[in-house]
Amino acid sequence: MSNTSSMIKILFIEKKRTDTPIFSSGLAEKGYDVITVISGKAAVEDLEKVNPQLVVVNAPSIRSSGQRICQSLKKQTESIPIVLIVEHEPEDQQKIDADIILALPFTLQKLLNRIRPLLPNVAKNLVKAGNFELDIDNRIVRCGDKQIVLTPRLVVLLRVLMEHKGEV
């Protein structure tokens, strides 16, 4: 991950438990500015002070469904995306005020792939054309929530095509 991810603040609601995976430390290792709180109440209180670009609720780690936490956060600000981590896939996802719901088990890479589209683009070497986004520094092309890692030669070729759309 490039150093541009360090500009992105993530408010993470999570407690360290031996029976649930912890993701906040993995995101911090990837360069994100992760602020961890241990309860929904603390998250609501710190929301304005921290001013995050994303909130992640690890519900199993705090022994909660996460629904009331998401509702409280959305009441305070609708513009900040919320990712809810749950133990089991909920039956009615429409009732939950989260932008993304992830059911355990999953890897840190899956979490990264799902949160990336929700985060502001801070990469300086980013080329956009239509639905396509080329991250030159990381050699990744994205279309919607799908992404592909490219070879250096493909990055150069795709960059030329994207910067000269309609000409080639």
Side-chain angles (χ1 to χ4, degrees):
M1 176 137 307
S2 68
N3 58 5
T4 57
S5 61
S6 63
M7 295 181 216
I8 296 175
K9 277 188 189 173
I10 299 174
L11 181 61
F12 216 109
I13 305 164
E14 179 173 72
K15 271 188 189 174
K16 291 185 177 173
R17 295 199 183 279
T18 57
D19 58 341
T20 57
I22 302 299
F23 295 101
S24 57
S25 56
L27 289 175
E29 286 173 14
K30 294 289 184 180
Y32 293 98
D33 184 8
V34 180
I35 295 92
T36 306
V37 294
I38 59 169
S39 70
K41 182 180 179 188
V44 170
E45 290 171 358
D46 290 354
L47 194 61
E48 280 186 41
K49 180 175 70 175
V50 172
N51 194 23
Q53 282 85 24
L54 176 73
V55 176
V56 180
V57 181
N58 188 346
S61 77
I62 56 173
R63 302 202 191 283
S64 165
S65 70
Q67 290 179 325
R68 282 187 284 159
I69 295 170
C70 292
Q71 286 174 342
S72 298
L73 291 168
K74 280 291 183 186
K75 273 185 197 171
Q76 197 165 344
T77 177
E78 289 190 20
S79 62
I80 300 174
I82 299 173
V83 175
L84 176 62
I85 299 171
V86 294
E87 225 165 341
H88 305 287
E89 197 73 39
E91 290 180 23
D92 191 6
Q93 293 187 5
Q94 306 296 6
K95 291 183 179 179
I96 301 174
D97 288 328
D99 297 279
I100 292 177
I101 300 170
L102 290 171
L104 292 170
F106 60 86
T107 62
L108 176 63
Q109 188 59 49
K110 181 173 182 177
L111 177 61
L112 287 167
N113 290 343
R114 295 299 303 273
I115 68 171
R116 227 174 249 127
L118 300 175
L119 298 172
N121 292 327
V122 292
K124 291 181 176 82
N125 287 325
L126 200 63
V127 180
K128 292 183 180 184
N131 292 337
F132 291 94
E133 185 177 277
L134 176 63
D135 182 343
I136 296 164
D137 293 335
N138 296 314
R139 297 189 351 244
I140 295 173
V141 65
R142 292 184 195 94
C143 183
D145 62 351
K146 296 184 190 237
Q147 69 177 22
I148 299 171
V149 178
L150 302 174
T151 64
R153 185 174 290 179
L154 282 175
V155 170
V156 171
L157 177 63
L158 188 56
R159 180 181 187 174
V160 169
L161 292 172
M162 290 175 74
E163 288 177 343
H164 298 92
K165 63 182 179 183
E167 296 174 28
V168 181

